[in-house]
Amino acid sequence: MPKSLAKVQKKVAKKKGNISSLNENSRDAQRLRRAGARSEKLERLAAARAKANQPHMQRIAHFQGAAKAGPGPIELERIHGLIQGYLSRNDEEFAEIKSQRRPGRPSSTREDLLKQLMVTEDREYDAGFWLPDLRDEGNLGILRDWKGEWTALNTLKYVRIARDGSMKQSSFPPKGLS
């Protein structure tokens, strides 16, 4: 039995002719409704998955730019600088939103979200900031060639680097403090 909406429409059109002339509660109309609902559900799930993956993609894209800038492996001190640069990417927007707010007024939703994000990422850096391993030459080559696809990210090696300089291997996608 065909599953996708296009296949169901084609099958019904071949059998009945004009789809608009179907009885509202006929078997074919019910098949069309089910197929339409199924395709909407799949699109909704794909959009939710893409939205959930977006922060990881942005983080890796940030470090991809750093990997493309240098020719070889990146030393730990420079990696800490890159992490600090990543953590401070929202500082200007946060300061602008905060300065626009009148005294005595509650903070805006965007300001609260930015502050929460900054605190969360700062805590993550204290415990171990998740990023691609920029010290491995092979990993850097894969990262430089990355085209922004989620499925290609599992080929990279990842590490967690803490503020105190400790480093440990991690996995993809990040789960807690892997």
Side-chain angles (χ1 to χ4, degrees):
M1 181 172 184
K3 294 264 187 211
S4 73
L5 180 60
K7 289 181 180 178
V8 171
Q9 285 175 333
K10 183 177 176 184
K11 192 122 178 139
V12 170
K14 187 188 295 184
K15 179 175 149 185
K16 293 285 188 188
N18 188 4
I19 292 178
S20 61
S21 65
L22 287 176
N23 185 356
E24 184 178 336
N25 294 321
S26 68
R27 289 180 188 165
D28 290 331
Q30 289 174 354
R31 283 173 59 194
L32 284 169
R33 279 196 297 273
R34 278 195 309 267
R38 189 170 34 249
S39 69
E40 286 176 14
K41 178 183 171 187
L42 291 174
E43 289 171 5
R44 194 173 54 249
L45 289 173
R49 194 177 320 113
K51 185 177 179 183
N53 295 340
Q54 194 62 32
H56 302 304
M57 302 278 280
Q58 289 174 344
R59 181 178 293 193
I60 293 171
H62 174 81
F63 290 105
Q64 180 189 31
K68 285 183 176 179
I74 301 172
E75 62 277 353
L76 191 57
E77 295 80 26
R78 184 153 176 257
I79 292 174
H80 280 287
L82 292 171
I83 293 172
Q84 289 293 338
Y86 181 78
L87 294 177
S88 63
R89 72 190 185 284
N90 293 323
D91 288 350
E92 291 177 12
E93 183 182 358
F94 181 72
E96 181 183 333
I97 291 173
K98 196 171 183 176
S99 68
Q100 289 176 352
R101 187 179 59 174
R102 294 186 315 225
R105 302 292 300 170
S107 59
S108 67
T109 306
R110 179 69 180 154
E111 183 180 351
D112 290 340
L113 287 173
L114 283 175
K115 186 169 185 146
Q116 181 182 6
L117 176 69
M118 291 164 65
V119 167
T120 304
E121 287 178 342
D122 199 47
R123 265 195 238 131
E124 181 188 355
Y125 188 32
D126 289 336
F129 193 79
W130 180 84
L131 71 152
D133 190 358
L134 301 175
R135 298 171 306 127
D136 183 17
E137 185 66 43
N139 206 40
L140 279 175
I142 295 170
L143 185 61
R144 287 182 186 119
D145 295 338
W146 181 58
K147 305 261 189 292
E149 298 168 349
W150 175 259
T151 54
L153 292 179
N154 63 352
T155 59
L156 290 169
K157 296 177 192 168
Y158 297 92
V159 292
R160 285 197 176 271
I161 300 177
R163 193 181 305 269
D164 62 9
S166 64
M167 182 183 309
K168 63 181 180 178
Q169 293 296 319
S170 186
S171 62
F172 178 78
K175 299 175 190 97
L177 291 176
S178 59

